[in-house]
Structure formats: structure tokens, C-alpha cells
Amino acid sequence: MKSDQDSGLNLVVKNLGVSYIRKNSNTSVIENLSFDVNPGEVVAICGLSGIGKSTLVRTIAGLVRPSQGEVLIDSQVINGPIESLGFVTQDYSRSLFPWLTVEKNIALPFKGKDISASERKSRVQAAIEEVGLTESARLFPWQLSGGMQQRVAIARALVMKPKFLILDEPFASVDVYVRLDLEDLVSNLVHSHGTTTLLVTHDVDEAIYMADRVLVLSGSPAQLSLDLSVNLKRPRVQMQTRSDATFLTLRDQLHASIRS
Ligand SMILES: Nc1ncnc2c1ncn2[C@@H]1O[C@H](COP(=O)(O)OP(=O)(O)OP(=O)(O)O)[C@@H](O)[C@H]1O
Ligand SMILES: [Mg+2]
């Protein structure tokens, strides 16, 4: 159930441009990119490898400074890292500290925050339960499978109850069945909390299955080549939804746009 307290943030990306300095010259990776995301919306971002997807979400998160345009979250221009953000990065396994247990890794975002020890404990406990890791709370990341480590990264991103969540290729490197479970897990969590979510994925089927809208980046510098609404009813059910005629039409449109 959604509650007002949980409702997600509104995102506006306006004429965004991002450049990196390479061999002493500026290389433009993203140019003139604009889109909005409504509170509670789940938006997937697709595009070929190296197109600029991670650059885009890092810029939205305030980790990379734009060379043009701006990012606004609930009308505030982003000038640096955002407090109200949960972020699962592409290299999730490197983001876990091997010398800390699952529960201590998940508790990390509380560091330096004025939140009582009992509140921390109950929130960490709740996050561990939400991702199904109760039995593994005292284990270390290196004692877990890849899929379990991804659950730890997801729990850590959710423990502060973020109103805005960015997932950059969060389910890479697990087998297909674990991946389907993680897709459902994250979909259920973000919908129950009304979290505004950006999901970067290479997997077109995953993008359609999870998102309300799919954006495609293409070209160099990258621009928005498609903004596709996913009109599939929820709750979505893996094999059933994936064989829906609408799903198959959307998949064709997306493949064509990514390749063009
Ligand atoms: N910190 C950086 N400094 C210089 N160039 C960078 C930096 N980060 C990314 N790039 C370059 O920007 C381009 C886009 O990279 P980015 O990581 O955003 O792509 P991506 O779409 O996320 O790719 P992938 O799907 O492989 O993760 C690439 O050419 C990459 O080499
Ligand atoms: Mg990337």
C-alpha cells in the first residue's frame, strides 16, 4: 500500500549535456537530453553498451557535473550527491565491504545520521526481511552467492526508505531464474513504497516487464531516440506478461530503436 510519507519524487532532466575530458579534449557523451519522471513512476533506460546510460544516471544522482542544462528533483536543482537517493551501482559486488557482515553492510547509509540505535536496528531488520536474507544476516558478502550479494546491495539502497531509487544494471551476472525473482522483488518493493525509480538495463524484456516507460538512448553524443509507454496491467506475472501481444509489440519497437 502506498502512503503519502512514502510517495516518490518528481524528476526533470532539462537540456542535459555531459562531457568528459579525454586526451586533453572534451568529448561530449550526452547532448540536449530532456525528459520528466513522475512521482512513483518506474522508468527504464536502454541503449547499447558505452552509449552513456551510467553517465546519465550518475549525473542525475549528482555524482557527475553536467556541462549543459540541469537536473531538478522536486523543483530543486541538483548540485551534488542527493541525500534522498538509493543507488545500486553496476559494480554492486565491489560496493559491498568484505569485512562487514550483511547487516553491517546494509546499515552503512546510517553512518553520520542522527537516527537512534533502536530505529537503525529495526530498519536494517526490515530491509533484510524484505529481500529475504534473514538467515544470512551475520554472514560476510564472500560467503554469499552473486544473487544474494545483489539482494544485500538492494537492501542497502532501500534501508533509508528513499523516495528516489536508481538501479544501474542491478541484476547482471546472475542466472536467469534468480534474475526473474529479483525483478519481481524490486518491482514489488518500489510499487509498495511508491518510489520513483530509474532502471538502467541492457535487457529489453526486463525493461518492459518492470517499467511504466522505457527510454532509449542512441547516437554519439547520446540523445533520446524513443520514449515508450508500457501499457501492461499490474501486477505483472513473468511468463504470462512476457507472452502478452502488447509486450511483444513493445519489444519489437525497442529492439528496432536500439539498433537504429
Ligand atoms: N569517468 C569517465 N571519464 C572519461 N570517460 C568516461 C568516464 N565514464 C564514462 N566514460 C565514457 O563515456 C561513454 C559512456 O560510458 P557509460 O559508462 O555511461 O556507458 P553505458 O551506456 O553505461 O555502458 P555500459 O552499458 O557498458 O555500462 C563511454 O565512451 C565511456 O568510455
Ligand atoms: Mg553502464
Side-chain angles (χ1 to χ4, degrees):
M1 285 278 278
K2 285 184 188 181
S3 70
D4 286 346
Q5 194 201 338
D6 284 337
S7 64
L9 300 179
N10 167 261
L11 166 72
V12 175
V13 174
K14 222 193 243 177
N15 304 325
L16 192 74
V18 185
S19 305
Y20 289 120
I21 297 185
R22 239 182 264 161
K23 293 180 187 155
N24 294 327
S25 72
N26 254 346
T27 305
S28 176
V29 175
I30 292 171
E31 202 168 81
N32 205 23
L33 190 67
S34 297
F35 63 91
D36 294 3
V37 178
N38 293 321
E41 207 173 15
V42 178
V43 173
I45 299 170
C46 291
L48 295 175
S49 184
I51 206 84
K53 304 179 297 295
S54 296
T55 299
L56 172 62
V57 293
R58 282 192 212 121
T59 310
I60 291 170
L63 303 173
V64 173
R65 196 170 280 276
S67 47
Q68 300 163 347
E70 56 192 6
V71 173
L72 297 105
I73 293 188
D74 272 4
S75 309
Q76 299 282 315
V77 176
I78 300 308
N79 292 316
I82 320 170
E83 278 278 299
S84 49
L85 176 75
F87 200 161
V88 178
T89 59
Q90 197 164 1
D91 50 358
Y92 73 93
S93 61
R94 277 195 283 153
S95 77
L96 301 181
F97 290 99
W99 58 87
L100 295 180
T101 59
V102 164
E103 58 190 0
K104 290 203 166 127
N105 265 286
I106 294 172
L108 276 174
F110 290 116
K111 207 164 179 209
K113 300 275 184 325
D114 187 19
I115 297 173
S116 71
S118 64
E119 174 73 10
R120 283 174 198 225
K121 203 171 166 204
S122 73
R123 287 222 221 153
V124 169
Q125 204 54 47
I128 289 174
E129 274 169 35
E130 278 189 316
V131 299
L133 283 177
T134 311
E135 304 289 303
S136 311
R138 301 273 162 88
L139 297 182
F140 292 90
W142 45 270
Q143 294 175 301
L144 307 178
S145 70
M148 290 160 91
Q149 290 178 36
Q150 268 159 317
R151 285 169 192 262
V152 178
I154 291 164
R156 190 170 66 189
L158 292 172
V159 76
M160 297 296 283
K161 300 186 182 168
K163 290 168 185 275
F164 182 31
L165 179 66
I166 294 178
L167 304 159
D168 189 355
E169 298 280 356
F171 315 128
S173 69
V174 287
D175 75 45
V176 64
Y177 298 105
V178 173
R179 190 167 183 133
L180 301 185
D181 282 350
L182 289 174
E183 287 171 7
D184 284 331
L185 173 79
V186 170
S187 284
N188 293 338
L189 290 174
V190 299
H191 282 101
S192 65
H193 295 299
T195 316
T196 307
T197 303
L198 289 181
L199 167 74
V200 173
T201 178
H202 281 114
D203 183 335
V204 161
D205 289 19
E206 180 171 278
I208 302 169
Y209 182 72
M210 292 187 67
D212 301 308
R213 258 164 76 206
V214 185
L215 308 181
V216 175
L217 296 184
S218 59
S220 179
Q223 294 183 317
L224 200 58
S225 62
L226 189 67
D227 183 343
L228 196 68
S229 291
V230 179
N231 298 315
L232 289 167
K233 66 177 184 334
R234 291 189 190 274
R236 296 176 187 170
V237 182
Q238 286 288 0
M239 294 313 158
Q240 198 177 319
T241 302
R242 286 167 191 262
S243 52
D244 189 298
T246 309
F247 188 99
L248 301 175
T249 309
L250 292 168
R251 175 208 255 172
D252 285 347
Q253 280 176 276
L254 277 170
H255 277 301
S257 174
I258 291 169
R259 285 211 197 96
S260 67

